[in-house]
Amino acid sequence: MDSMKTFFDKKTILITGGTGSFGHSFVNRLLILNPTVKVLIYSRDEYKQYLMAQEYKTDVEKGRLKFIIGDVRNKERLIYACRGVDYIVHAAALKQVPACEDNIEEAILTNITGALNVRCAAELSGVKKVVALSTDKAVQPVNLYGATKMVSDKVFTDMNDISNTVFCIVRYGNVASSRGSVIPLFLERFNSGLHEYPITDKRMTRFWIGLDDAVNMAINALVYSNGGETFVAKLPSFYITDLVKTIDPNGQIKVIGIRPGEKLDEMMITKYDAEKTVDFGAYYVIYPTVERARNSGKQTVPLDFEYSSGNNNQWLNVKDIAKLL
């Protein structure tokens, strides 16, 4: 913990898309972790920035937290925002699967062009490190959102040898109780007296990750990355049906069928990346090359290794989920 505190001494961190659930938790952690750190929020929505500024009014007044209105699609604005920045956490993205399917050009502009712009601005501005947030949907993608994030991941994990900036990504699924999670939907139905819950398939599994765990991953990646790594959280799995039982023991499940672009399980690591994957205890690291993995000083995973929410060795039951909720 002390090494992490000193890592952020008198540093400036820019967070793209920083007014979301992750951004709030990340900012709160940083401001508590180190009294000399400064945080810049770069995002499009002035109202969300206003609300966040009210929440952290004291830190804004002290100059520890500042807001910049801008879009990751605008490279010139990003370059301006990156002046004097030491580290970037890139969280801005269009994340809703149906919205991306219906607005292809917008998804490409934000998720791919935006990633290229962040990389370019970081390199031109002398930013030391960039951590980009990824998703399980980028692994063997079956929808446009996943495909754009797969490309975005490559922007930050390839060509690190020719850059003075260190780039890496952290990968996890939907954060529990965030806007992308099914939990708020089920809770809303329960609180409204609606005891029927739509599920696409009773076999469906997901990883469980809370906001604190997501923030921990990003901070670890900032501190320990050397360039090109993909940090993958080790997480417990759960069945969506058990989530329903936890929220409403007497609830009825209505199977509505798999939606376009939806998977039964969340996939984090495929067997094609196994030779480059190292087990670091609390998390896995996928290196950009086999050589880097072998020289890491850690044991690589078995060649047939795959990591998905369906083949996990950690599972949450109804009691476990109730404690987390």
Side-chain angles (χ1 to χ4, degrees):
M1 183 62 73
D2 287 339
S3 62
M4 286 190 176
K5 286 183 180 179
T6 56
F7 180 83
F8 293 106
D9 273 347
K10 299 180 181 179
K11 296 298 190 297
T12 299
I13 295 95
L14 182 142
I15 309 173
T16 68
T19 58
S21 302
F22 172 86
H24 273 76
S25 293
F26 190 81
V27 167
N28 190 59
R29 179 78 65 84
L30 282 182
L31 294 176
I32 293 173
L33 186 63
N34 190 296
T36 66
V37 73
K38 292 183 179 180
V39 184
L40 305 179
I41 300 294
Y42 182 90
S43 64
R44 299 183 301 179
D45 194 320
E46 60 180 321
Y47 182 62
K48 287 181 181 177
Q49 288 192 2
Y50 166 77
L51 292 177
M52 193 170 181
Q54 299 307 303
E55 184 180 348
Y56 293 95
K57 191 172 183 179
T58 300
D59 294 296
V60 171
E61 290 173 349
K62 291 180 178 179
R64 299 189 65 205
L65 180 62
K66 295 184 178 181
F67 296 87
I68 301 172
I69 294 175
D71 196 317
V72 291
R73 302 176 183 188
N74 186 336
K75 183 165 61 176
E76 288 72 23
R77 184 65 171 165
L78 265 173
I79 293 171
Y80 166 81
C82 287
R83 293 182 305 172
V85 168
D86 297 290
Y87 309 122
I88 295 175
V89 175
H90 177 45
L94 292 183
K95 303 179 180 72
Q96 295 292 330
V97 172
C100 288
E101 296 293 330
D102 293 339
N103 301 275
I104 296 173
E105 294 88 351
E106 298 299 304
I108 291 171
L109 285 171
T110 296
N111 295 354
I112 297 178
T113 304
L116 288 167
N117 289 342
V118 168
R119 179 178 180 119
C120 179
E123 290 177 325
L124 290 175
S125 305
V127 173
K128 298 178 181 68
K129 286 189 179 184
V130 177
V131 173
L133 304 189
S134 182
T135 169
D136 63 283
K137 296 172 183 65
V139 183
Q140 295 180 334
V142 296
N143 53 55
L144 184 71
Y145 169 53
T148 59
K149 291 300 286 183
M150 179 192 71
V151 176
S152 173
D153 286 358
K154 288 190 172 294
V155 168
F156 295 112
T157 57
D158 290 357
M159 299 185 295
N160 269 272
D161 291 340
I162 61 174
S163 176
N164 291 323
T165 301
V166 169
F167 298 93
C168 70
I169 64 173
V170 294
R171 177 180 294 159
Y172 46 79
N174 286 336
V175 176
S177 298
S178 70
R179 284 175 295 178
S181 166
V182 73
I183 294 172
L185 170 64
F186 286 177
L187 287 173
E188 182 181 353
R189 293 186 69 84
F190 176 75
N191 293 329
S192 300
L194 301 173
H195 299 287
E196 184 177 78
Y197 301 87
I199 288 181
T200 53
D201 194 297
K202 289 185 177 181
R203 298 170 294 169
M204 186 165 288
T205 68
R206 290 292 181 263
F207 285 110
W208 186 287
I209 183 169
L211 273 172
D212 283 345
D213 296 320
V215 169
N216 287 339
M217 285 291 296
I219 290 177
N220 276 308
L222 269 175
V223 175
Y224 298 113
S225 58
N226 293 308
E229 303 99 334
T230 299
F231 292 79
V232 179
K234 280 189 179 180
L235 303 167
S237 297
F238 67 97
Y239 284 98
I240 297 295
T241 51
D242 283 340
L243 176 63
V244 172
K245 292 175 186 175
T246 305
I247 293 174
D248 189 351
N250 299 315
Q252 300 297 312
I253 291 173
K254 180 182 180 182
V255 178
I256 60 176
I258 290 281
R259 294 172 295 185
E262 191 173 33
K263 295 180 180 179
L264 278 178
D265 306 307
E266 290 182 331
M267 176 67 75
M268 296 283 200
I269 304 172
T270 72
K271 61 183 178 181
Y272 304 107
D273 283 324
E275 197 174 7
K276 300 183 294 182
T277 301
V278 170
D279 188 339
F280 270 80
Y283 49 87
Y284 297 106
V285 173
I286 306 172
Y287 284 95
T289 65
V290 173
E291 183 181 11
R292 285 273 305 277
R294 290 175 179 171
N295 292 335
S296 67
K298 298 286 185 177
Q299 183 66 42
T300 55
V301 299
L303 291 179
D304 60 349
F305 176 82
E306 286 193 333
Y307 185 44
S308 80
S309 59
N311 70 357
N312 204 356
N313 56 12
Q314 299 180 66
W315 286 87
L316 301 174
N317 57 33
V318 172
K319 290 183 179 179
D320 296 325
I321 297 172
K323 291 178 182 178
L324 291 170
L325 285 176

